[in-house]
Each structure stands twice: as structure tokens, then as C-alpha cells.
Amino acid sequence: MTLSGIVVTQIYWVRQAYSLQEKEVNDRIVIAMSTVVQRILDMNQDSSFVEPVERVSANFYTANINDTLHPYLLEALLRDEFTNSNLLSDFEYGIYDCFNDSIVFGGKVLFDQEQGKPQPTATNIQKKFEKDGHYFGIYFPAKSSMILGRMDFWIFSSMLILLVVIFFAYAIFIILKQKRLSEVKTDFINNMTHELKTPISTIGISSEVLMGSGISHQPERIKQYAQIIQSENLRLKNQVEKVLSIASLSPDKAEWKKEWVNMHDVIEQAVSSSKILAQGENGEIETVLQAEQHQVYGDRVHLTNILYNLLDNALKYCEDEASVVVKSWNSSGKLHLSVQDNGIGIASKHHKNIFDRFFRVPTGDIHNVKGFGLGLYYVKTVVEAHKGKIELKSALGEGSTFTIILQANKHE
Ligand code: ADP
């Protein structure tokens, strides 16, 4: 806001400076032309009154001269006066007949910019227009550049300010980015603390019950509590493993164990495990595997994990009954794998951040679906390490489709 204010003020000042310069240049031209007229009248020893110079358009000026006029002399005087007034811009001049406004003579004066002197003329010295009914006009084709040329200081200082503004904007951008990252990290830590605390306290309570004196006679209850401890322990183990595997993953450091992997096998395996997980949650997973080339040279464990992650999300972020379709096909020599769901969808404004580390779609204080915001980051990292890419097609309330595109290889 403030920065744009500075830019607007700067533009205002530059424009202001331009119009001041323009006024000054106009005044100088008018004075120079009046002086030329005066000098001609003096030379002809004529006592006529010097009529005011007229500015016909932005770049065109006229002056009346009711006296004998030698074009050569006029040009010489104009060169002289303009050089004295430091108006070193090329110009064209014309001598007009007052009665029919037609041009009777025209010439051009070019300035040698380096030396600040006009170039020699080719005007015939003999030519002469008799007294009465003539005026001359001057046209400056490059008047704006002459004005700009006089604004060196302004242009330089504006550039400097612009540079400072850009630098500030960049610094603010970085600060905001850092702020978001730190908020996201705090969220992650809160989330994780919550995720780990619940099973730990459940295990604690269950073991206290098991240690109680009365329970030794109730084998059914002992079994029930032992089962609770076992399942919570498993949950804990999964959470810790997920965080550790992702936290230690870096595209450069990771040691990939590459081998030929049949992605259809990987899909079948991930789908059957996810089906077990989805049991009781009324979810269904369908597969449409049409790729003929489905061998990928990569790390089997990570490639399997990314499918688990996508399937896990597809089942998690769903309001009613999840219906997930996993497809594979070949196109332009690549293997495409897509996981499509009928879930809550992702608003387009979140698409650009969805693969960021720790990013979760903000839901206010409602955290009905647990997670750390690491799954998709992991998926993207693995896909990119295999020189592939991942695409997302989704809209709020319309389900999501994640498509992974990998190099498909023929492996006999
Ligand atoms: P999380 O552990 O939170 O699931 P992910 O990295 O797997 O982390 O996903 C990041 C965020 O993207 C999720 O918090 C969720 O808001 C959104 N998301 C991921 N997959 C889906 C999906 N299939 N449908 C709707 N939202 C999704």
C-alpha cells in the first residue's frame, strides 16, 4: 500500500517536472523566435511592431513577419538564437504566404548532438521574399526527447527510488513468506503433539487398568485392554514412521534403490492394503489399468508409498461414501497414473501450495481429519526424484484427481 503510494507520488513528481520543463522550453522557443523577428526588423531598419509568437500545436510555432525575408538569413538567425538558448534539437521551418496559408519555402536544421552545433545548410543565399504577407513556422519533431534530455536528474532519482521500492517489496515478500512458514510449522507441531498425546494417554490409562488388582479375574477385560494397547501402539508407530520417513527425505540425500518396478503390481498391492484400511468406512476403490508400458525404473518402496498416500487422502477427505478410481494409461511415451475421488475437493486458490511441506487446507479450528501436511510433499518429492511430474485437477465440492506422469520404459 505504502509502496504503491510512493510510486504514485513519484510518477506525479516526474510529470510535474516534465510540464515545468516543457513550459521552460516553450518560453525559450518563443523568446528565440521573437528575437529573430526583432533582428530581421532591425536589419531592414523597419520600426514595425513585433507580433507575438503563436504556439499552434505542441510542436509547431509561428511568427508573423511583415518584412522582406531572406530564407538564408532567417535560417542563420534561427540557428544562432537556438544555439544561444541551448535549444539543440533538430527543427524544420517553413515560410508561408499569409493570404492563402500555403508554404512558399521550407528547410531543415539538424544539430550535431556531440558538438552542440548546427550542421551546415544547403539553403540558397540568393533567395528572397518581398515585404508583406509572410510568416514563418517552426516544427520540432523531437521536442519531447529534448525535454526528457533535460530531466536527467529526475529520471536518475526516480530510477533510484524505484529500485529502493523494489528492494523493499522483495524484503516484505520474504518476511511474509517466513511468517507463513513459521505459522505452518507451529500448526504442524500442535498437530503432532495432539496426534501423539492421544494414543500415549490411552495406553497409559489401559495399562493402569491392567495393573489394577480386580481385573486378574476378568480375562475378557484383560484381553480387551491389551487389544486397545496394541492398536494404539500400532497407530503411534505408524505416525512416527510417517513423520520420520518424510522428514529424512531429501531429493539429493535420499538413496534410491532403483530397479524395474511393475507399477500395476504396485497399484494392486496399495489398493488391496487400502481396501483393508477402508473397511468399515464404506469406501470402495476401483482400478482401470490400461497402460501397456507400465514398467518404471525407480525405487519400489517409495513408489508404493506415494500410492498409499494418494489413496489414503482420497479416502480421508471424503464426506460420505468414498468412491475412488485408480487409472493407468500411456500417452506420448509416458505412464500416467491417476487417483480420482468424489471427496470434498480442493479450492483452486490452494492448488499452488498443496504440495508444500506442512501445508494443510485451512479449515478454521475444525480438525476432523488428522494429518501433518506432509503426504503430498512426500509424493511430489518422490515423483520429481524419478523425473516425473504430478498434476492436480480439483474444485471445491467436486472431488479431486491427482495424476502422476512418469517415464515409461519398455522392459523385456
Ligand atoms: P495431510 O497429512 O494433511 O493429509 P497431505 O500433504 O497429504 O497432508 O495433504 C495436504 C492437504 O491437502 C490436506 O490437509 C488436505 O487439506 C488436502 N488434500 C489432500 N488430498 C486431498 C483430497 N484427495 N481431497 C481433498 N483435499 C485433499
Side-chain angles (χ1 to χ4, degrees):
M1 218 29 210
T2 330
L3 295 182
S4 44
I6 294 177
V7 172
V8 170
T9 321
Q10 195 59 27
I11 292 174
Y12 172 77
W13 280 117
V14 170
R15 288 184 66 157
Q16 204 68 356
Y18 183 87
S19 49
L20 272 178
Q21 281 296 340
E22 190 178 24
K23 192 173 173 314
E24 191 194 321
V25 167
N26 276 341
D27 292 350
R28 279 175 187 241
I29 292 173
V30 170
I31 293 170
M33 285 172 73
S34 309
T35 317
V36 168
V37 176
Q38 184 68 62
R39 283 173 72 179
I40 293 174
L41 294 179
D42 287 350
M43 279 177 196
N44 292 341
Q45 288 171 348
D46 193 333
S47 59
S48 305
F49 167 72
V50 179
E51 289 180 35
V53 171
E54 218 182 304
R55 184 173 167 211
V56 182
S57 72
N59 296 3
F60 188 59
Y61 300 75
T62 58
N64 262 329
I65 186 150
N66 291 316
D67 211 334
T68 311
L69 194 58
H70 296 267
Y72 181 81
L73 176 70
L74 173 70
E75 190 181 313
L77 291 173
L78 286 173
R79 285 157 178 274
D80 194 32
E81 278 306 321
F82 281 19
T83 315
N84 288 345
S85 308
N86 202 17
L87 294 165
L88 307 176
S89 172
D90 299 345
F91 65 86
E92 290 159 21
Y93 69 94
I95 298 172
Y96 299 82
D97 190 324
C98 266
F99 301 110
N100 52 12
D101 260 347
S102 63
I103 188 161
V104 290
F105 185 83
K108 202 170 187 177
V109 174
L110 302 174
F111 279 85
D112 188 330
Q113 291 299 338
E114 273 166 32
Q115 296 179 11
K117 276 198 293 199
Q119 289 173 5
T121 178
T123 309
N124 187 344
I125 199 160
Q126 305 293 340
K127 231 184 181 75
K128 162 172 150 182
F129 292 99
E130 289 306 336
K131 197 173 164 126
D132 291 347
H134 286 109
Y135 69 93
F136 69 92
I138 300 188
Y139 175 71
F140 293 90
K143 194 172 148 210
S144 341
S145 50
M146 171 166 62
I147 297 172
L148 286 177
R150 289 161 171 262
M151 288 175 56
D152 288 0
F153 167 76
W154 277 99
I155 291 173
F156 175 73
S157 65
S158 303
M159 287 292 167
L160 211 68
I161 289 177
L162 201 71
L163 226 83
V164 171
V165 167
I166 291 174
F167 175 75
F168 262 104
Y170 179 70
I172 286 172
F173 170 75
I174 296 285
I175 291 170
L176 289 180
K177 205 170 144 190
Q178 289 294 339
K179 188 170 160 263
R180 225 204 79 218
L181 203 71
S182 93
E183 280 169 4
V184 152
K185 276 190 177 161
T186 318
D187 264 7
F188 166 71
I189 291 169
N190 289 344
N191 227 328
M192 191 159 104
T193 319
H194 177 77
E195 290 283 288
L196 299 182
K197 255 181 162 174
T198 324
I200 289 172
S201 56
T202 319
I203 291 174
I205 294 167
S206 307
S207 45
E208 262 172 40
V209 175
L210 286 181
M211 280 190 296
S213 51
I215 201 162
S216 53
H217 309 296
Q218 298 166 302
E220 268 311 301
R221 281 190 72 200
I222 294 180
K223 199 173 168 207
Q224 198 186 350
Y225 280 102
Q227 266 169 357
I228 294 177
I229 292 179
Q230 193 192 28
S231 76
E232 288 299 292
N233 186 42
L234 194 69
R235 199 170 124 194
L236 208 53
K237 184 172 159 255
N238 284 342
Q239 304 281 27
V240 171
E241 261 177 14
K242 197 171 175 186
V243 175
L244 288 184
S245 73
I246 294 166
S248 65
L249 182 75
S250 138
D252 325 313
K253 271 197 278 167
E255 282 177 18
W256 306 96
K257 289 199 202 90
K258 296 227 170 154
E259 58 183 312
W260 286 104
V261 183
N262 180 337
M263 287 309 284
H264 282 180
D265 288 351
V266 166
I267 293 171
E268 299 288 5
Q269 186 193 340
V271 166
S272 64
S273 310
S274 298
K275 269 185 181 159
I276 299 170
L277 280 179
Q279 254 176 16
E281 288 179 22
N282 287 333
E284 58 167 85
I285 308 176
E286 190 193 331
T287 48
V288 184
L289 307 182
Q290 288 171 334
E292 281 177 3
Q293 294 175 8
H294 44 82
Q295 303 277 354
V296 166
Y297 192 66
D299 188 311
R300 181 183 298 276
V301 176
H302 288 296
L303 288 173
T304 315
N305 280 348
I306 61 176
L307 271 150
Y308 274 129
N309 271 297
L310 291 180
L311 287 170
D312 188 32
N313 282 348
L315 296 167
K316 259 197 322 190
Y317 297 103
C318 181
E319 270 172 342
D320 317 308
E321 199 171 306
S323 161
V324 180
V325 187
V326 183
K327 290 185 188 161
S328 83
W329 70 97
N330 289 119
S331 165
S332 336
K334 309 255 179 195
L335 173 64
H336 293 237
L337 302 174
S338 72
V339 177
Q340 179 188 352
D341 65 49
N342 61 339
I344 57 172
I346 302 163
S348 56
K349 67 175 175 186
H350 297 306
H351 288 197
K352 69 177 190 319
N353 300 113
I354 204 83
F355 298 103
D356 290 354
R357 212 199 303 218
F358 305 131
F359 180 84
R360 304 197 74 209
V361 171
T363 51
D365 284 336
I366 318 154
H367 282 294
N368 47 359
V369 182
K370 304 280 173 258
F372 299 129
L374 288 172
L376 289 180
Y377 166 75
Y378 171 78
V379 174
K380 188 164 192 231
T381 313
V382 173
V383 169
E384 284 179 352
H386 285 79
K387 302 204 165 40
K389 45 179 197 168
I390 180 158
E391 288 172 358
L392 164 63
K393 231 164 111 187
S394 179
L396 204 58
E398 290 176 19
S400 313
T401 308
F402 287 89
T403 308
I404 294 172
I405 303 162
L406 293 167
Q407 192 60 50
N409 291 289
K410 265 198 204 131
H411 180 57
E412 313 307 329

